[in-house]
Amino acid sequence: MASMLRCCSASGCRSAGGEALQQALVEARSRAGAGDGAPVIKAVGCLRLCSRGPLVAVDGPAGSVLYGEVPSARAAELLEACAAPPRAAAARRALASHALDLRHPFFALQEPVVLETCGLIDPESIDDAMAHGAYSTLHRCQAELTPAQVREQVRLSGLRGRGGAGYPTGLKWDTVALQPPGPRWLVANADEGDPGAFMDRAVLEGDPHRLIEGMAIAAWAVGADQGLIYVRAEYPLAIARLRRALAEVQARGQLGSLRLRVRVGAGAYVCGEETALLASIQGRRGNPRPRPPYPAQLGLWGAPTLINNVETLAAIPAILRRGAADYAALGTAGSRGTKVFSLSGAVRHTGLVEVPMGTSLRTIVVTMGGGVPGGEGADGGVKAVQTGGPSGGCIPAALLDTPVDYEGLRALGSMMGSGGMVVIDQATGMLELARYFMRFSVAESCGKCVPCRAGTVQLLQLLDRFCDQRASPADLAQLHDLCAMVKATSLCGLGQCAPNPVLSTLRHFHQEVVSALAVAPGGAP
Amino acid sequence: MSVLTLWVDGAAVAVPAGASLLEASRAANVEVPTLCHLDGLAPVGACRLCLVEVDLPGDGSPTRLVPACSTAAGEGLVVRTATVQLQRFRRMAVELLFAEGNHVCAFCVANGACELQDAAVAVGMDHSRFPFQYPRRHVDASHPHFVIDHHRCILCTRCVRVCDEIEGAHVWDVANRGSHCQIIAGLDQPWGTVEACTSCGKCVDVCPTGALAHNDDTTAEKRAARERPALLRSARERQRWHNQGGPP
Amino acid sequence: MSGAVDEAPGGAGPQRLRLATVWLAGCSGCHMSFLDLDEWLFDLARQVEIVYSPIASDTKIFPAGVDLCLVEGAVANTDNLALAQQLRDRSRVVISFGDCAVGGNVPALRNLWDASPQAVLNRGYMELADRSAQHPRAIGIVPELLPQVLPLHAVIAVDHYLPGCPPSAERIRAFLEPLLRGEPPPMQGAAMLRFG
Ligand SMILES: Cc1cc2nc3c(=O)[nH]c(=O)nc-3n(C[C@H](O)[C@H](O)[C@H](O)COP(=O)(O)O)c2cc1C
Ligand code: SF4
Ligand code: SF4
Ligand code: SF4
Ligand code: SF4
Ligand code: FES
Ligand code: FES
């Protein structure tokens, strides 16, 4: 096998100088005379440990090594490290301080399913993707199975929507497929707006053909002949790569009569909500509407519409290739398979982890993530873990052994959400954190319904009083009441979940709330 | 036409399939407060005043809160419209509305003919527990006949819908997000400069508050005609117009 | 409620409740409406002793041991605030009397102007003055404006709310009659509740 340098070309490493490094490698190779044996330099998707970017994986006769934070000036040595063992050894020794230990739990405990070829293939080359099996599952499904059999496999796999709510994917596909005859639409939700979430971006930037293959299978299984990928405008690289991938795959005729296009959002978080997303696609204001009717019944231009998250769809090719039972063997009874998490915040190893559902928070955050930088003890200095972004909540260190699945997190007053996981250190005030998320909800509320539009504003002002030590016991009661009201009466998930960060703080960090009360209760405002 | 039977506050009612829970409640002589809904306009489920509790028949799934105006009645549903919790939530919603705008009923054109004022009475609001926000909004008096005072707008979007759905002019829309939302005319321009406006006055007729008014009306002089969309819609559907004779 | 009442209400003879009425930042309309109670005022006078009121008493200092205190007007300046706190300390039952006390109402419209009281004063006394524009500054005599005009319950605990701008005489009477009997006022329906 030819030796190869896999340069991470995803957004994380780009922001750390990845492009310059790749350029330096190309130049160093041509200086060294790019003969037949010269290593291949390949741009790939996220190599997981984004905090150490730019990352380069060196695959040579002397084995594979991953290097991080490599300055462009060391390009020649990286090339050397690809050579045969005697020559590579010196270079590898010189680069030793940049080598990342692939046996570290951060890498060793990963279970790549969705990300199985992310980091291996060149996302801008359909040939490379196909060499790694892209579209073979699609063709096999179309040749060997009926759409109903495909849906059955998805149902049996136990896959649940990765967009946040965890709705059973197979059931949703059946609902769309079984609507009265007529046109159907398929939409991939790539709006990924939660602060601290970048799982979908990794798929879009690192393995767009996997999403497209998943969409093609879904479209075939539910009888849709048109599809859209709704991508947030803040992901320019993902958009470019998706467009390129779509052009290539359509030019090759891999998708048959299915037409897929990219739609770029306009910067509203709420447009990730499915009914707002549909309105936005149709050129209307991105406001949610009451459900039912669900998009599966009444979606784009009145047609039944299947909406799935990027990660949900990207899991499909692997599920159908490996078989439903094989996939369902991963994870827990209620939450099958694997989940990609984006680990960030006060954690030593920031990046992407894909692990089986049911992996404990401690394993993800402390064992794999390495805990808080400089943190000590069994909890690695972790004070809490925020999951589910502005819709979720904080889980205190005492509950780190909680298995991460839909029901487990919900029972603790948080949410799986889309997979953002933000580690909180001891220095962070939980009320300030709750206020940060409330500010987000205030700014992102679409303004349609009263509890969310006006209620979150009042909640934010109440939190201000706590953060400034001006709050009275009456304010605390008001906070409880208003959280309950906004949660119960808001129209869409944004408002319904906006109180969650506050409620989880009230529940798990009550002491912090009480000690934030004004010294003399009821002091004048 | 098939008929559904359901229970509203303990009373059995039969309604035609496709009826909303609001219509079912009315059939049971139960009044559910509403603000954004108006008969004759498409429901939007925005104000959340009409939320009711619903148990799905016999499946033991948890009670859900749904907007009566925009939820279809279902066979065997058990609907409760006035639980203690609903009453608390409704009062909070009305307080939030008062707190987010600038309402001084005493010198409002709609004083005495305002659905927000009535809603406050209906939910038993004697004061707002939420601090008033005093947003700085503006008044647009550029139209030759009408005026919009944004301070009193509750963003119910009735004006948007009536102008779009009934008049077909689509003069109004909503701009911005969250608490910065605002009703805009045309492309966010003075109302009087919007050529699409036919000056039909329907938006003024349906506005629940004193936000939209005839510009020669002063304090407490607003006379709303909120039944107009329903009359027009049914007249159009049945092709029957009172002023053109024909069978009633 | 806060502020224990030391003296027993009333004096010798039939025990009469001690009633105070207070005028903060309001137009006095609520008090005028109170006077519209006409002959019922005689009934009232048999049941209460008016111990402090801009319309029925010359007392300048808010007395201790008040049973019922009707407060008209919002809290707009330092005098309003001090009096509000004092009346709360010295009254058993405090009533927000009229829309200004209940919600800020007209006086609170200045909150829409600009965050600073100075800007409000400039507008009122300088920019809009036809002649002899001058700031009403007399330290110790003219109270300072608060940054925001507030409803009464934003600064002290309030026991009852009587909305209306002004509350009609009928509404005031329907509110006071049960209260004087020690019963909760029937705060329901448009006749009792409607703002404006
Ligand atoms: C405020 C809000 C934002 C959302 N944002 C996203 C998002 O960015 N991406 C996503 O896939 N789903 C998002 N969702 C969930 C979608 O509404 C929808 O449930 C999901 O796309 C369905 O796909 P799934 O079944 O594969 O999870 C959001 C929901 C809400 C309420
Ligand atoms: S909950 Fe918030 S985001 Fe959702 S519809 Fe209501 S206002 Fe819009
Ligand atoms: S719109 Fe209604 S609630 Fe607002 S000030 Fe006018 S009458 Fe009062
Ligand atoms: S007057 Fe008629 S046309 Fe003009 S904005 Fe109102 S509803 Fe639309
Ligand atoms: S102007 Fe009137 S009708 Fe239009 S949204 Fe505002 S309150 Fe509703
Ligand atoms: S972006 Fe390069 S490792 Fe994640
Ligand atoms: S009337 Fe139903 S939500 Fe407004």
Side-chain angles (χ1 to χ4, degrees):
Chain A
M1 175 186 110
S3 48
M4 186 183 290
L5 287 155
R6 284 178 288 130
C7 301
C8 175
S9 67
S11 288
C13 287
R14 281 202 164 193
S15 66
E19 270 180 306
L21 177 59
Q22 192 181 340
Q23 189 56 35
L25 284 168
V26 171
E27 284 163 13
R29 185 180 58 178
S30 60
R31 267 199 307 278
D36 268 356
V40 176
I41 296 168
K42 177 151 106 178
V44 297
C46 177
L47 291 168
R48 316 295 193 270
L49 190 53
C50 310
S51 56
R52 300 293 299 276
L55 293 195
V56 180
V58 171
D59 306 321
S64 285
V65 189
L66 184 62
Y67 293 104
E69 292 166 309
V70 194
S72 299
R74 317 274 313 247
E77 288 160 88
L78 282 171
L79 281 171
E80 278 291 294
C82 293
R87 257 173 68 207
R92 290 187 175 200
R93 255 197 314 281
L95 286 167
S97 67
H98 293 285
L100 304 172
D101 182 2
L102 289 170
R103 289 161 310 180
H104 186 281
F106 182 85
F107 298 107
L109 296 183
Q110 302 233 4
E111 179 77 47
V113 173
V114 168
L115 299 178
E116 62 186 350
T117 43
C118 172
L120 294 179
I121 61 156
D122 177 352
E124 301 199 353
S125 160
I126 189 170
D127 290 320
D128 199 24
M130 289 179 68
H132 284 82
Y135 302 108
S136 59
T137 310
L138 168 66
H139 299 318
R140 229 205 60 235
C141 286
Q142 289 177 337
E144 296 171 13
L145 302 176
T146 64
Q149 285 171 323
V150 169
R151 298 200 304 271
E152 186 182 17
Q153 286 295 304
V154 174
R155 217 168 42 238
L156 292 175
S157 74
L159 177 66
R160 294 171 63 176
R162 301 301 192 226
Y167 190 80
T169 305
L171 192 56
K172 200 188 265 186
W173 288 24
D174 280 343
T175 310
V176 176
L178 300 177
Q179 296 297 313
R184 284 150 174 61
W185 279 87
L186 165 68
V187 176
N189 187 343
D191 198 49
E192 195 167 53
D194 284 1
F198 44 90
M199 305 77 46
D200 295 348
R201 190 182 70 193
V203 173
L204 301 170
E205 292 179 351
D207 200 357
H209 290 288
R210 178 166 300 260
L211 169 65
I212 296 169
E213 183 176 8
M215 289 182 76
I217 296 172
W220 189 69
V222 303
D225 61 358
Q226 295 215 64
L228 291 166
I229 307 170
Y230 188 91
V231 197
R232 66 194 308 230
E234 293 87 339
Y235 282 178
L237 181 62
I239 293 165
R241 289 192 169 160
L242 261 179
R243 287 202 164 124
R244 186 191 167 110
L246 278 178
E248 283 189 344
V249 71
Q250 270 158 353
R252 301 273 174 110
Q254 293 287 331
L255 299 184
S257 62
L258 174 64
R259 280 192 57 214
L260 296 180
R261 275 173 300 153
V262 173
R263 268 300 166 97
V264 178
Y269 171 72
V270 75
C271 285
E273 195 280 337
E274 54 190 22
T275 58
L277 186 149
L278 295 180
S280 167
I281 288 178
Q282 293 174 86
R284 297 204 304 262
R285 187 180 156 84
N287 275 4
R289 60 159 174 82
R291 301 170 307 173
Y294 290 90
Q297 306 158 290
L298 200 74
L300 284 180
W301 293 284
T305 301
L306 175 66
I307 303 187
N308 273 131
N309 166 261
V310 166
E311 193 185 329
T312 313
L313 290 164
I316 295 295
I319 290 173
L320 287 158
R321 197 190 65 242
R322 298 164 62 142
D326 193 49
Y327 181 82
L330 295 164
T332 62
S335 309
R336 303 287 182 185
T338 60
K339 176 80 192 85
V340 185
F341 294 100
S342 50
L343 202 53
S344 68
V347 66
R348 205 169 287 160
H349 308 133
T350 299
L352 280 184
V353 296
E354 181 171 5
V355 290
M357 288 278 191
T359 306
S360 77
L361 271 178
R362 185 185 304 285
T363 304
I364 299 175
V365 165
V366 183
T367 313
M368 300 176 77
V372 175
E376 281 165 15
D379 299 341
V382 174
K383 177 174 177 181
V385 183
Q386 211 285 340
T387 68
S391 316
C394 284
I395 296 168
L399 297 172
L400 276 179
D401 290 317
T402 306
V404 179
D405 58 17
Y406 291 101
E407 278 68 30
L409 293 183
R410 198 170 292 236
L412 295 178
S414 186
M415 289 250 292
M416 173 84 79
S418 53
M421 211 174 253
V422 183
V423 181
I424 312 298
D425 63 11
Q426 304 292 338
T428 306
M430 303 312 284
L431 282 160
E432 272 89 3
L433 189 68
R435 179 167 67 169
Y436 166 84
F437 283 114
M438 191 57 69
R439 230 179 241 141
F440 182 90
S441 295
V442 166
E444 295 298 338
S445 162
C446 82
K448 176 172 177 175
C449 72
V450 176
C452 172
R453 178 182 76 229
T456 54
V457 170
Q458 297 282 352
L459 282 173
L460 180 60
Q461 287 173 4
L462 279 166
L463 288 171
D464 280 339
R465 296 173 67 85
F466 280 89
C467 292
D468 305 346
Q469 311 256 314
R470 286 185 286 125
S472 67
D475 290 329
L476 184 54
Q478 179 100 293
L479 190 63
H480 275 284
D481 285 355
L482 190 53
C483 279
M485 183 266 187
V486 172
K487 193 174 167 72
T489 66
S490 289
L491 192 163
C492 86
L494 193 152
Q496 288 160 7
C497 297
N500 285 353
V502 183
L503 289 169
S504 88
T505 300
L506 290 171
R507 173 167 167 191
H508 297 299
F509 298 91
H510 197 249
Q511 199 43 51
E512 254 176 75
V513 178
V514 169
S515 55
L517 291 176
V519 186
Chain B
M1 184 185 287
S2 66
V3 170
L4 304 169
T5 312
L6 64 163
W7 278 263
V8 179
D9 290 344
V13 280
V15 291
S20 68
L21 289 181
L22 185 61
E23 287 160 332
S25 303
R26 287 174 184 161
N29 279 324
V30 169
E31 197 161 330
V32 177
T34 54
L35 264 181
C36 64
H37 175 80
L38 189 67
D39 286 348
L41 302 180
V44 286
C47 72
R48 318 307 281 171
L49 237 60
C50 70
L51 287 186
V52 293
E53 274 188 20
V54 169
D55 294 335
L56 298 178
D59 69 347
S61 65
T63 295
R64 293 198 305 146
L65 296 191
V66 298
C69 67
S70 45
T71 304
E75 180 64 33
L77 289 187
V78 176
V79 182
R80 286 177 297 272
T81 70
T83 63
V84 173
Q85 191 195 44
L86 285 171
Q87 287 175 339
R88 278 183 39 227
F89 287 164
R90 282 185 193 135
R91 174 165 170 181
M92 285 166 110
V94 176
E95 288 178 27
L96 286 171
L97 280 169
F98 270 90
E100 78 163 351
N102 295 303
H103 296 275
V104 181
C105 300
F107 63 66
C108 177
V109 65
N111 192 3
C114 171
E115 291 179 57
L116 179 61
Q117 209 181 24
D118 295 345
V121 171
V123 301
M125 169 181 168
D126 58 4
H127 75 294
S128 169
R129 289 160 292 183
F130 303 115
F132 290 160
Q133 301 297 305
Y134 302 109
R136 278 164 221 177
R137 300 183 181 168
H138 68 281
V139 177
D140 177 355
S142 62
H143 193 282
H145 309 300
F146 313 123
V147 59
I148 179 165
D149 181 345
H150 292 279
H151 296 99
R152 299 169 181 147
C153 172
I154 57 169
L155 295 166
C156 69
T157 69
R158 281 186 189 178
C159 54
V160 178
R161 287 174 282 153
V162 79
C163 188
D164 177 42
E165 297 168 16
I166 306 285
E167 182 62 4
H170 201 128
V171 168
W172 299 110
D173 226 315
V174 181
N176 306 328
R177 309 198 78 81
S179 54
H180 299 292
C181 274
Q182 187 199 316
I183 297 294
I184 52 166
L187 295 172
D188 197 6
Q189 67 204 74
W191 185 5
T193 67
V194 180
E195 286 175 13
C197 174
T198 64
S199 299
C200 70
K202 293 190 178 67
C203 52
V204 178
D205 287 337
V206 301
C207 177
T209 69
L212 282 166
H214 288 263
N215 58 12
D216 52 2
D217 282 344
T218 158
T219 301
E221 288 183 353
K222 176 161 176 165
R223 296 159 313 257
R226 294 170 186 131
E227 67 294 339
R228 270 181 83 189
L231 292 176
L232 283 169
R233 174 148 287 179
S234 96
R236 284 178 191 174
E237 278 165 9
R238 296 160 50 197
Q239 293 293 309
R240 266 181 220 165
W241 306 87
H242 294 301
N243 60 358
Q244 289 173 6
Chain C
M1 290 280 76
S2 61
V5 180
D6 299 331
E7 302 99 319
Q15 285 224 333
R16 288 192 302 168
L17 290 170
R18 287 161 61 79
L19 175 72
T21 76
V22 170
W23 179 17
L24 303 180
C27 70
S28 86
C30 298
H31 275 89
M32 296 303 115
S33 198
F34 186 84
L35 290 178
D36 282 344
L37 284 165
D38 300 338
E39 61 271 26
W40 190 73
L41 287 171
F42 293 103
D43 290 351
L44 182 66
R46 277 189 287 277
Q47 300 178 62
V48 304
E49 180 190 356
I50 297 189
V51 294
Y52 181 89
S53 171
I55 50 168
S57 157
D58 277 336
T59 312
K60 299 290 179 241
I61 307 289
F62 194 91
V66 170
D67 291 303
L68 297 179
C69 181
L70 290 168
V71 185
E72 170 191 330
V75 181
N77 62 33
T78 49
D79 271 13
N80 296 158
L81 181 59
L83 182 50
Q85 283 160 348
Q86 189 174 51
L87 73 86
R88 175 69 273 181
D89 280 347
R90 299 179 180 181
S91 312
R92 197 159 51 82
V93 174
V94 173
I95 296 129
S96 276
F97 178 32
D99 282 354
C100 296
V102 166
N105 209 37
V106 178
L109 281 175
R110 84 144 148 98
N111 296 349
L112 279 170
W113 185 244
D114 195 306
S116 90
Q118 195 55 44
V120 172
L121 293 174
N122 281 346
R123 180 75 180 153
Y125 288 90
M126 309 300 286
E127 293 164 24
L128 295 178
D130 290 328
R131 60 180 66 183
S132 59
Q134 186 190 342
H135 271 300
R137 164 103 354 113
I139 290 162
I141 299 173
V142 180
E144 295 290 311
L145 295 186
L146 298 177
Q148 280 231 309
V149 179
L150 297 165
L152 189 62
H153 65 271
V155 300
I156 60 168
V158 168
D159 303 292
H160 296 283
Y161 299 83
L162 182 56
C165 184
S168 65
E170 298 75 51
R171 190 184 283 186
I172 299 172
R173 180 172 168 184
F175 176 88
L176 282 179
E177 277 180 334
L179 203 62
L180 294 173
R181 294 194 300 268
E183 294 162 17
M187 298 311 289
Q188 269 175 16
M192 292 308 289
L193 278 178
R194 201 165 76 191
F195 296 113

